[in-house]
Amino acid sequence: AAELSAPLRDGDEDALREGLGRLVELAEERPRLFRDRRNVATDALRLWTDGPCRALAVELVVALAEGAPATWRKAEIEGRPFAAAAADACLELLLRDDDGADPSEWEVAGAAPPDEPQDCGRELGQESLDRLCRALGPASFLPRALEVVSILLRDAAQDPVPRWRRARAGCDALAQLAEHVGDLTNCPTKSRAAVPLLCSTGKSSMKQR
């Protein structure tokens, strides 16, 4: 989409923010316009990692899924199912934004932690996990999301001190996705069998191709 490709190429932050805002509005009002424009989702997912436009990029991807779930449930971007790519991006968000955090403050806290900014990685990751799972459905979204959660928790268990963020991200994700796991009872057996935390012990990788 020209709204994203040109600003991305030129490094024009203001134009990128404006373009993302317009695309979010279109995704909400006329989602069918994006049926054959998968590159919009590809470009937006690349902006999830960091930068001042990240929150808008997250909102665009979620709005696409909510506006036309059947389309994006079947869609592929860069050779991967959209649902799998979006799940990976959500989990990556949960690992970001707190390089100076103290692990002891997460493991043992005498009081509830202060509210975090709405545009921080953890907040965006948790909200997008929930909304994307609701939009795309548990059969499409949960297999890859819970596969990545199992990878994070397994890695954290093997070396807990330097990898505590992985444990926290896995717990954050489970807290968001737990209510959707029950919905798998109404899904085909194949979909339930694809959820490793429930039915499988096979090894995998966050860099699924």
Side-chain angles (χ1 to χ4, degrees), residues 9 11 31 57 78 81 83 101 103 115 125 135 138 166 169-170 177 193:
R9 182 185 63 246
E78 297 186 329
D115 292 338
R166 288 176 170 256
L177 297 173

mmCIF file of all heavy atoms in Angstrom, residues 9 11 31 57 78 81 83 101 103 115 125 135 138 166 169-170 177 193:
data_model
loop_
_atom_site.group_PDB
_atom_site.id
_atom_site.type_symbol
_atom_site.label_atom_id
_atom_site.label_comp_id
_atom_site.label_asym_id
_atom_site.label_seq_id
_atom_site.Cartn_x
_atom_site.Cartn_y
_atom_site.Cartn_z
ATOM 1 N N ARG A 9 9.901 3.670 3.106
ATOM 2 C CA ARG A 9 11.098 3.831 2.283
ATOM 3 C C ARG A 9 11.821 5.129 2.608
ATOM 4 O O ARG A 9 13.055 5.166 2.691
ATOM 5 C CB ARG A 9 10.711 3.801 0.798
ATOM 6 C CG ARG A 9 11.897 3.905 -0.153
ATOM 7 C CD ARG A 9 11.445 3.997 -1.594
ATOM 8 N NE ARG A 9 10.671 5.201 -1.843
ATOM 9 C CZ ARG A 9 9.380 5.214 -2.170
ATOM 10 N NH1 ARG A 9 8.708 4.081 -2.295
ATOM 11 N NH2 ARG A 9 8.740 6.352 -2.378
ATOM 12 N N GLY A 11 11.474 6.944 5.411
ATOM 13 C CA GLY A 11 11.677 7.215 6.826
ATOM 14 C C GLY A 11 10.890 8.410 7.328
ATOM 15 O O GLY A 11 11.325 9.103 8.246
ATOM 16 N N PRO A 31 -13.738 -3.181 5.202
ATOM 17 C CA PRO A 31 -12.726 -4.237 5.300
ATOM 18 C C PRO A 31 -12.517 -5.025 4.010
ATOM 19 O O PRO A 31 -11.428 -5.565 3.787
ATOM 20 C CB PRO A 31 -13.264 -5.136 6.421
ATOM 21 C CG PRO A 31 -14.728 -4.832 6.501
ATOM 22 C CD PRO A 31 -14.860 -3.391 6.144
ATOM 23 N N ALA A 57 0.155 0.436 14.194
ATOM 24 C CA ALA A 57 0.382 -0.750 13.371
ATOM 25 C C ALA A 57 -0.326 -1.963 13.966
ATOM 26 O O ALA A 57 -0.917 -2.774 13.241
ATOM 27 C CB ALA A 57 1.882 -1.025 13.239
ATOM 28 N N GLU A 78 3.846 -13.829 3.200
ATOM 29 C CA GLU A 78 5.221 -14.306 3.101
ATOM 30 C C GLU A 78 5.317 -15.805 3.339
ATOM 31 O O GLU A 78 6.208 -16.296 4.032
ATOM 32 C CB GLU A 78 6.122 -13.539 4.071
ATOM 33 C CG GLU A 78 6.199 -12.050 3.759
ATOM 34 C CD GLU A 78 7.208 -11.324 4.621
ATOM 35 O OE1 GLU A 78 7.434 -11.728 5.777
ATOM 36 O OE2 GLU A 78 7.801 -10.335 4.124
ATOM 37 N N PRO A 81 0.689 -18.738 7.264
ATOM 38 C CA PRO A 81 -0.662 -18.309 7.599
ATOM 39 C C PRO A 81 -0.632 -16.997 8.380
ATOM 40 O O PRO A 81 0.217 -16.808 9.264
ATOM 41 C CB PRO A 81 -1.184 -19.458 8.480
ATOM 42 C CG PRO A 81 -0.362 -20.648 8.106
ATOM 43 C CD PRO A 81 0.985 -20.102 7.772
ATOM 44 N N ALA A 83 -2.624 -16.009 10.640
ATOM 45 C CA ALA A 83 -2.852 -16.227 12.068
ATOM 46 C C ALA A 83 -1.558 -16.587 12.790
ATOM 47 O O ALA A 83 -1.314 -16.123 13.909
ATOM 48 C CB ALA A 83 -3.886 -17.334 12.275
ATOM 49 N N ALA A 101 14.084 -3.678 33.785
ATOM 50 C CA ALA A 101 13.225 -4.283 34.802
ATOM 51 C C ALA A 101 14.012 -5.246 35.689
ATOM 52 O O ALA A 101 14.961 -5.887 35.260
ATOM 53 C CB ALA A 101 12.066 -5.025 34.132
ATOM 54 N N PRO A 103 13.910 -8.680 37.722
ATOM 55 C CA PRO A 103 13.104 -9.903 37.747
ATOM 56 C C PRO A 103 12.490 -10.191 39.095
ATOM 57 O O PRO A 103 11.404 -10.755 39.188
ATOM 58 C CB PRO A 103 14.102 -11.000 37.338
ATOM 59 C CG PRO A 103 15.450 -10.412 37.538
ATOM 60 C CD PRO A 103 15.289 -8.950 37.294
ATOM 61 N N ASP A 115 0.221 0.561 36.827
ATOM 62 C CA ASP A 115 -0.275 0.409 35.459
ATOM 63 C C ASP A 115 0.798 0.817 34.462
ATOM 64 O O ASP A 115 1.535 1.792 34.675
ATOM 65 C CB ASP A 115 -1.517 1.290 35.257
ATOM 66 C CG ASP A 115 -2.698 0.803 36.066
ATOM 67 O OD1 ASP A 115 -2.722 -0.383 36.427
ATOM 68 O OD2 ASP A 115 -3.597 1.621 36.342
ATOM 69 N N GLY A 125 0.660 -6.385 23.468
ATOM 70 C CA GLY A 125 0.691 -7.815 23.207
ATOM 71 C C GLY A 125 -0.481 -8.546 23.822
ATOM 72 O O GLY A 125 -1.105 -9.403 23.180
ATOM 73 N N ALA A 135 -11.300 -12.758 17.039
ATOM 74 C CA ALA A 135 -11.638 -12.482 15.639
ATOM 75 C C ALA A 135 -11.413 -13.697 14.746
ATOM 76 O O ALA A 135 -12.297 -14.067 13.953
ATOM 77 C CB ALA A 135 -10.808 -11.299 15.136
ATOM 78 N N PRO A 138 -10.451 -19.706 17.853
ATOM 79 C CA PRO A 138 -9.416 -20.494 18.517
ATOM 80 C C PRO A 138 -8.789 -21.560 17.628
ATOM 81 O O PRO A 138 -7.608 -21.864 17.765
ATOM 82 C CB PRO A 138 -10.150 -21.123 19.709
ATOM 83 C CG PRO A 138 -11.597 -21.102 19.325
ATOM 84 C CD PRO A 138 -11.767 -19.871 18.499
ATOM 85 N N ARG A 166 10.978 -14.499 29.349
ATOM 86 C CA ARG A 166 10.249 -15.522 28.594
ATOM 87 C C ARG A 166 9.182 -16.173 29.470
ATOM 88 O O ARG A 166 8.066 -16.443 29.010
ATOM 89 C CB ARG A 166 11.224 -16.566 28.051
ATOM 90 C CG ARG A 166 12.070 -16.036 26.898
ATOM 91 C CD ARG A 166 13.106 -17.036 26.427
ATOM 92 N NE ARG A 166 13.698 -16.554 25.179
ATOM 93 C CZ ARG A 166 13.408 -17.033 23.981
ATOM 94 N NH1 ARG A 166 12.532 -18.019 23.857
ATOM 95 N NH2 ARG A 166 13.965 -16.538 22.905
ATOM 96 N N ALA A 169 6.407 -13.593 29.815
ATOM 97 C CA ALA A 169 5.632 -13.482 28.582
ATOM 98 C C ALA A 169 4.717 -14.680 28.405
ATOM 99 O O ALA A 169 3.561 -14.540 27.991
ATOM 100 C CB ALA A 169 6.573 -13.352 27.383
ATOM 101 N N GLY A 170 5.228 -15.874 28.723
ATOM 102 C CA GLY A 170 4.389 -17.070 28.617
ATOM 103 C C GLY A 170 3.196 -17.010 29.555
ATOM 104 O O GLY A 170 2.071 -17.363 29.187
ATOM 105 N N LEU A 177 -5.188 -16.070 26.977
ATOM 106 C CA LEU A 177 -5.734 -17.098 26.084
ATOM 107 C C LEU A 177 -6.514 -18.191 26.808
ATOM 108 O O LEU A 177 -7.224 -18.958 26.157
ATOM 109 C CB LEU A 177 -4.592 -17.751 25.295
ATOM 110 C CG LEU A 177 -3.813 -16.819 24.363
ATOM 111 C CD1 LEU A 177 -2.612 -17.557 23.769
ATOM 112 C CD2 LEU A 177 -4.707 -16.287 23.246
ATOM 113 N N ALA A 193 -5.786 -31.226 18.382
ATOM 114 C CA ALA A 193 -4.523 -31.961 18.419
ATOM 115 C C ALA A 193 -3.329 -31.102 18.072
ATOM 116 O O ALA A 193 -2.188 -31.464 18.354
ATOM 117 C CB ALA A 193 -4.600 -33.149 17.456
#
